[in-house]
Amino acid sequence: MAMTMTEKIFARHAGLDKVVPGQLIKCKVDLVLGNDITAPPAIREFERIGRPVFDKDKIVLVPDHFTPNKDIKSAEQAKTVRQFAKQHAITNYFEVGRMGIEHVLLPEQGLVAPGEVIIGADSHTCTYGALGAFASGVGSTDMAAAMATGETWFKVPSSLKVELSGSLPQWVSGKDVILTLIGQIGVDGARYQSLEFCGAGVAALSIADRLTIANMAIEAGAKNGIFPVDDITHDFLAGRVVKEYQEVAADPDAIYERTVRIDLSTLQPVVALPHLPENVKPVREVGAIAIDQVIIGSCTNGRIEDLAQAAKVFEGKKVHPDVRAIVIPGTQAVYLEAMKRGYVETFINAGAVVSTPTCGPCLGGHMGILAAGERAVATTNRNFRGRMGHVDSEVYLAGPVVAAASAITGRISGPWEVC
Amino acid sequence: MICQGKVWRYGDNVDTDVIIPARYLNTADPKELAKRCMEDIDASFAAGVKKGDIIVADRNFGCGSSREHAPVAIKASGISCVVAASFARIFYRNAINIGLPLVELGDQVAMIQAGHEISIDLAQGVLLNKTTGQKFTVQPLPGFIQEIAQAGGLIEYVKQGAGA
């Protein structure tokens, strides 16, 4: 019987010929991820089980949220993760200085392959669906159980098909695609579902665009977001992923709960207004909204392609005197590449600050906390109330070109206003 | 198991950032988290909540982060059960895993207001609004999830040898 990509991956990992939506299954996991906030409670629970780790090569630990540590308590949390990694000889532990924001780092390091089942104690683990893996966020207890058993349980989700056609116009990126989709279906529009992207438009999207889109599947309530594996995926994986993998494709007659169609050529730069990612409006329609801060980076838009787009807008211009602009490369490798290409110089000459990789400001952790009444344009993934600081602050979500243009004008702007 | 208490009422899309703001996630101690629970949506919650009280909300409760600190904070604050029109999936999963009872009630949550006294018999699948006298049927948890709940959460379930 016909299956979607997610159903096929689940069936294979559960050792079944067929799975159907609603079915509860136990399946093997290929990778288990945790960070400095979620891993410490997972480690505590893991120790209660009293077993060794199922596979030291299949656990990934990335202290990235409150690192470099912002205070003593967060240093203690990072220490717990570091000691655990040492004790269990975890292969993929990424220390400050060699690390990155987890969801930028793992694909870059070749740790994610098509057809895999990946769980992470971080909701944006769904990012890896861009490479044709089933990837989903879980909590610390799930992480603990999976570290011990190499398995986890799932309810097989029904699927929402997102059929893409056309190609992106100038200044429009993956961020605009996913924000437009969330604006259309709402923050619970894909709740408990798999978002399966397909159609001729996929070939027009770079891996960076796909990673950004899959990253925010959770913002529509989805369990996972997944892209088909094509030549662009293979080019990205070549020389990066050394392990063997088995990619899957959806059957042509797979059953979806519903289909949403998006013609990429009709899209324009958009912004999600406070306090939900579904409050989406074209930049041209938001009017004059003065801002205090801009954040370019995060697991959503911290790749070299994102910094390239921002640098193009910043080139030869200055950040508005009333704005703090913060640029955060997603990994050390992205940082180095941005230096080589001259982007870091462009950002600093423009009056922006460039930080070591950290999730800091995205979750209101450190490095860019907002005071009461302040507004930020951020390339991050959530604009919930109080997300980036004071409960009376506001976050506007946008892609890198809108964030950069807004930093220059001091109000929410499209790049066409400054370029 | 019977949960009984006063209702704390919230709306749609109560996210994990307001349940437990990230600025307090430099600890995972349940008691510390409970002191900050719901702070960004209801500053009166932590001081006013009594053991047994019940949170009732509309759609998509617990959306956002995978932080298990959210259901942990709610449970540690004394809340005996969360009733919502619907739940976000990671929150749902986390709550089951740590043993915080959840009841998905759909649009019927509209009949329950702040301050009402309600009781929920999870085994019988009955929610009684003692203030209005209304009774609602509660869907039982799927079998496999009941096993986890009966074991006292996922870790106990795995310890009992249910995992690989």
Side-chain angles (χ1 to χ4, degrees):
Chain A
M1 235 175 100
M3 288 191 278
T4 64
M5 279 184 84
T6 295
E7 288 161 8
K8 272 192 184 173
I9 294 171
F10 272 167
R12 184 176 291 160
H13 284 74
L16 301 168
D17 292 333
K18 164 101 193 130
V19 299
V20 292
Q23 189 176 345
L24 284 163
I25 56 162
K26 269 188 209 162
C27 73
K28 296 207 179 307
V29 295
D30 297 296
L31 215 57
V32 182
L33 165 72
N35 60 49
D36 52 317
I37 291 179
T38 59
I43 290 166
R44 201 178 54 214
E45 293 303 302
F46 171 86
E47 283 167 354
R48 282 178 56 209
I49 299 172
R51 293 195 210 172
V53 294
F54 84 107
D55 188 334
K56 69 180 178 56
D57 297 329
K58 293 184 177 177
I59 293 167
V60 186
L61 296 168
V62 190
D64 58 359
H65 275 60
F66 288 148
T67 58
N69 299 133
K70 68 156 182 166
D71 56 22
I72 294 168
K73 281 178 164 184
S74 64
E76 295 293 342
Q77 295 195 138
K79 187 178 168 189
T80 302
V81 181
R82 185 177 303 119
Q83 286 178 335
F84 177 84
K86 214 169 213 176
Q87 187 190 342
H88 294 272
I90 301 299
T91 318
N92 294 300
Y93 166 72
F94 293 92
E95 187 55 272
V96 168
R98 301 181 285 283
M99 52 75 82
I101 296 170
E102 51 196 337
H103 309 309
V104 183
L105 185 73
L106 268 61
E108 173 196 287
Q109 294 292 316
L111 295 171
V112 174
E116 291 191 325
V117 169
I118 300 169
I119 61 167
D122 187 284
S123 62
H124 295 103
T125 302
C126 52
T127 306
Y128 315 135
L131 302 177
F134 170 86
S136 194
V138 296
S140 297
T141 298
D142 276 318
M143 180 190 170
M147 285 199 298
T149 65
E151 282 192 353
T152 194
W153 64 273
F154 285 113
K155 187 162 109 179
V156 178
S158 64
S159 296
L160 193 162
K161 186 180 193 175
V162 184
E163 211 169 277
L164 304 173
S165 61
S167 56
L168 295 174
Q170 192 197 11
W171 302 125
V172 180
S173 70
K175 187 60 160 282
D176 302 299
V177 177
I178 188 63
L179 285 178
T180 301
L181 175 65
I182 296 166
Q184 223 168 312
I185 67 175
V187 291
D188 68 345
R191 206 172 50 86
Y192 277 98
Q193 290 188 311
S194 171
L195 267 183
E196 306 230 347
F197 295 88
C198 67
V202 170
L205 295 173
S206 69
I207 292 296
D209 284 325
R210 297 179 200 186
L211 288 161
T212 301
I213 293 169
N215 174 277
M216 290 186 69
I218 179 69
E219 309 313 334
K223 185 177 204 126
N224 68 316
I226 193 163
F227 276 83
V229 179
D230 61 8
D231 291 346
I232 296 171
T233 324
H234 290 134
D235 284 349
F236 178 82
L237 300 172
R240 202 185 289 269
V241 173
V242 291
K243 57 186 166 182
E244 283 186 21
Y245 60 85
Q246 270 186 303
E247 61 192 65
V248 303
D251 291 319
D253 50 348
I255 295 164
Y256 299 88
E257 200 153 292
R258 64 179 172 133
T259 299
V260 174
R261 291 183 179 82
I262 295 178
D263 178 352
L264 300 175
S265 63
T266 64
L267 301 186
Q268 53 176 313
V270 291
V271 53
L273 311 181
H275 293 284
L276 278 179
E278 71 181 18
N279 297 334
V280 175
K281 235 182 180 179
V283 172
R284 291 179 194 277
E285 292 174 22
V286 295
I289 298 175
I291 57 161
D292 306 282
Q293 181 169 291
V294 163
I295 301 284
I296 296 172
S298 89
C299 62
T300 314
N301 284 107
R303 281 166 280 274
I304 193 66
E305 293 86 347
D306 302 302
L307 300 193
Q309 290 172 22
K312 196 172 163 190
V313 177
F314 274 125
E315 184 63 54
K317 301 179 195 74
K318 293 283 180 203
V319 170
H320 191 277
D322 298 338
V323 175
R324 291 103 56 186
I326 302 169
V327 181
I328 307 179
T331 65
Q332 291 287 75
V334 172
Y335 203 150
L336 263 182
E337 183 62 22
M339 282 173 64
K340 283 182 195 155
R341 295 194 194 182
Y343 302 159
V344 170
E345 205 173 335
T346 301
F347 297 139
I348 292 175
N349 282 338
V353 69
V354 183
S355 158
T356 189
T358 178
C359 303
C362 174
L363 76 159
H366 61 155
M367 280 292 296
I369 305 300
L370 299 173
E374 289 192 324
R375 290 194 195 106
V377 174
T379 69
T380 56
N381 40 41
R382 286 196 177 124
N383 58 352
F384 298 155
R385 187 175 290 280
R387 172 77 177 173
M388 203 173 276
H390 196 280
V391 68
D392 293 329
S393 62
E394 294 181 348
V395 179
Y396 294 73
L397 304 176
V401 293
V402 171
S406 304
I408 295 162
T409 62
R411 55 184 166 74
I412 293 176
S413 304
W416 51 84
E417 294 180 52
V418 297
C419 289
Chain B
M1 184 182 174
I2 293 170
C3 307
Q4 192 163 310
K6 192 188 80 159
V7 167
W8 293 79
R9 190 70 169 86
Y10 303 102
D12 286 335
N13 304 314
V14 173
D15 62 72
T16 48
D17 280 84
V18 295
I19 295 172
I20 184 73
R23 58 185 178 275
Y24 303 125
L25 297 184
N26 54 3
T27 177
D29 178 359
K31 282 192 195 117
E32 290 300 311
L33 296 173
K35 287 182 199 163
R36 305 297 188 173
C37 189
M38 307 302 271
E39 185 175 287
D40 281 0
I41 192 174
D42 181 355
S44 71
F45 179 86
V49 66
K50 299 268 188 308
K51 195 168 168 48
D53 283 358
I54 293 166
I55 287 176
V56 179
D58 295 318
R59 286 185 309 128
N60 205 25
F61 186 89
C63 61
S65 164
S66 69
R67 63 186 73 154
E68 204 165 283
H69 310 64
V72 166
I74 289 173
K75 193 179 173 193
S77 73
I79 287 288
S80 63
C81 182
V82 183
V83 178
S86 62
F87 290 93
R89 58 158 290 277
I90 306 177
F91 181 88
Y92 184 89
R93 197 177 169 110
N94 286 347
I96 299 294
N97 285 343
I98 65 152
L100 170 68
L102 301 182
V103 168
E104 200 155 33
L105 201 61
D107 295 339
Q108 297 183 106
V109 289
M111 318 289 272
I112 307 171
Q113 297 306 321
H116 282 176
E117 284 283 335
I118 66 173
S119 76
I120 305 160
D121 185 329
L122 290 164
Q124 298 297 316
V126 178
L127 187 157
L128 172 66
N129 187 333
K130 294 168 136 180
T131 307
T132 65
Q134 285 173 308
K135 258 188 189 175
F136 305 92
T137 304
V138 173
Q139 287 296 320
L141 294 172
F144 174 65
I145 292 176
Q146 268 185 38
E147 283 175 35
I148 295 175
Q150 275 160 13
L154 185 65
I155 295 303
E156 292 305 322
Y157 181 73
V158 171
K159 275 171 78 176
Q160 288 168 15

